[in-house]
Amino acid sequence: MTFGDKLAKAVEAYGPLCVGIDPHPSLLEAWGLSPTAEGLERFALTAVEAFGGKVAMVKPQAAFFEAYGSRGVAVLERVIAELRGSGTLVLVDAKRGDIGSTMAAYAQAYLGDGSPLAGDAVTVSPFLGFGSLQPALDTARATGRGVFVLALTSNPEGAQVQRSVAPDGRTVAQTIIDFATARNSGISPCGDVGLVVGATIGETDVDLSGFNGPILAPGFGAQGGSVADLKRLFGPDMRNVFPTSSRDVLKHGPDVSSLVSAVQRVQQSL
């Protein structure tokens, strides 16, 4: 199956929601857990129990696992394996971006068959040039996985780069979108190159009309993004838009049933 096939099947089963697993120290504390590898593991596996087989896609934030060194990375590997085993798609939020052989190594780590860190997709940064992502794009297509490319992020500093205007008159964000659109051209039901466009950015000021790929919309829920914001940004047809809710759901832990109920409420609101 292509990544687009997998996405379509997941959305049909669960709706277009992506839930994040962000083991932030404050959340561990709120759950009564210690900020240790043991606390991380209990937090993450509780989230896996609550979300696995119940949502279209889960997005573990790699940095919060890496903060605990090799033991944290081992927990991330287990999270990826157990989520994939449940039938839920896994988007590893690693935001990798580099050039040449280094990018090829990142691609093998997060998109290569047999790698314990490989989910179904990974977030990548294009700000060394969209062409620098070629190893990831090629590996994703060869293995039936996807990449989500940062385009318009919700952090205020992002505008300094993403809304800058290139010599041809397009913004950097539009250039990224156009490259992604070309890469997905002719692929059905949708391409394997997705975009990250924040749900709280205000106005996009870009043309997404020809884009044939998934859009990850972080910032939904606790960060202020609403269903109205999503429809304003992306239009009423949001089949390929994946609102992402992380801490707004995770705050209902550590009780698994409460986490499941929180997910269901968000799914019903979309």
Side-chain angles (χ1 to χ4, degrees), residues 78-269:
R78 185 174 174 188
V79 165
I80 293 168
E82 295 198 9
L83 284 170
R84 296 194 77 200
S86 75
T88 291
L89 296 178
V90 183
L91 168 58
V92 182
D93 194 0
K95 298 183 178 70
R96 295 301 191 254
D98 216 305
I99 60 173
S101 59
T102 308
M103 192 66 219
Y106 280 140
Q108 182 57 39
Y110 292 99
L111 298 164
D113 288 335
S115 170
L117 285 171
D120 297 284
V122 66
T123 56
V124 294
S125 172
F127 299 115
L128 289 176
F130 196 91
S132 67
L133 302 178
Q134 199 65 46
L137 302 178
D138 291 344
T139 303
R141 186 151 299 176
T143 61
R145 293 181 168 90
V147 298
F148 283 80
V149 184
L150 301 179
L152 275 172
T153 58
S154 55
N155 61 306
E157 303 86 356
Q160 298 171 7
V161 173
Q162 297 156 17
R163 297 185 186 271
S164 295
V165 178
D168 63 5
R170 293 180 296 169
T171 62
V172 170
Q174 187 66 60
T175 301
I176 292 166
I177 291 166
D178 292 346
F179 274 121
T181 300
R183 178 75 181 183
N184 288 338
S185 179
I187 300 178
S188 179
C190 74
D192 49 19
V193 180
L195 297 171
V196 179
V197 179
T200 58
I201 60 172
E203 299 298 331
T204 62
D205 297 324
V206 293
D207 181 10
L208 289 162
S209 60
F211 180 66
N212 177 35
I215 297 174
L216 187 74
F220 182 75
Q223 292 175 264
S226 66
V227 173
D229 291 324
L230 295 173
K231 291 183 177 180
R232 177 175 50 79
L233 290 171
F234 306 115
D237 184 3
M238 299 195 300
R239 284 174 297 176
N240 291 334
V241 177
F242 289 81
T244 302
S245 185
S246 300
R247 298 181 196 183
D248 203 39
V249 170
L250 293 168
K251 69 183 182 183
H252 295 279
D255 180 67
V256 171
S257 62
S258 296
L259 289 166
V260 172
S261 295
V263 165
Q264 291 172 341
R265 285 193 295 271
V266 177
Q267 288 171 321
Q268 292 164 4
S269 73

